[in-house]
Amino acid sequence: MNQVKAGADFLNLSEEEILAALDRYEESDESEDDEPEDPIVREVGRLISEYTARFDDYCEHSEEIPDTVFTYEPEAAIERVAYGIFTDAVHDALQEEDDSE
């Protein structure tokens, strides 16, 4: 997970700026099927996709979830926000899996 890095243009953003961009996107009329207009939202989406791809690759080769999934702490605020969204989704999926068993 630690090889996923945000683009240089996004490294100095504060968490508040990132969350505000995500809030504006959620409140907008933009379709989820279209690429978001806001570059911050696009970058968060790209980071989540990369975290997900790395996690999926790992899971294909191992039956256990790596401990680092829930302990890794990205450096940049945008990476932390994206990683938090990713880990929340993993946690929710694991909960659903446990509930269905």
Side-chain angles (χ1 to χ4, degrees):
M1 300 297 172
N2 60 352
Q3 294 91 0
V4 176
K5 296 293 179 193
D9 294 348
F10 304 99
L11 294 177
N12 292 322
L13 294 172
S14 70
E15 186 171 331
E16 291 78 24
E17 292 171 298
I18 298 158
L19 294 176
L22 293 172
D23 287 344
R24 285 190 304 272
Y25 174 70
E26 287 182 3
E27 294 170 0
S28 74
D29 292 336
E30 288 185 63
S31 169
E32 289 184 24
D33 296 331
D34 296 331
E35 185 169 325
E37 292 178 22
D38 190 314
I40 296 170
V41 175
R42 285 195 307 267
E43 183 67 357
V44 169
R46 183 190 70 78
L47 291 167
I48 292 168
S49 293
E50 287 199 31
Y51 290 131
T52 302
R54 290 184 186 278
F55 180 75
D56 289 346
D57 271 356
Y58 182 88
C59 289
E60 280 184 30
H61 299 93
S62 177
E63 292 184 19
E64 293 187 26
I65 295 174
D67 294 338
T68 57
V69 168
F70 297 110
T71 59
Y72 173 65
E73 293 187 33
E75 294 175 19
I78 195 164
E79 295 167 357
R80 286 191 300 274
V81 169
Y83 200 71
I85 294 168
F86 162 75
T87 57
D88 286 349
V90 169
H91 183 265
D92 290 349
L94 292 173
Q95 288 295 105
E96 288 175 12
E97 192 175 289
D98 286 346
D99 291 345
S100 68
E101 290 179 2

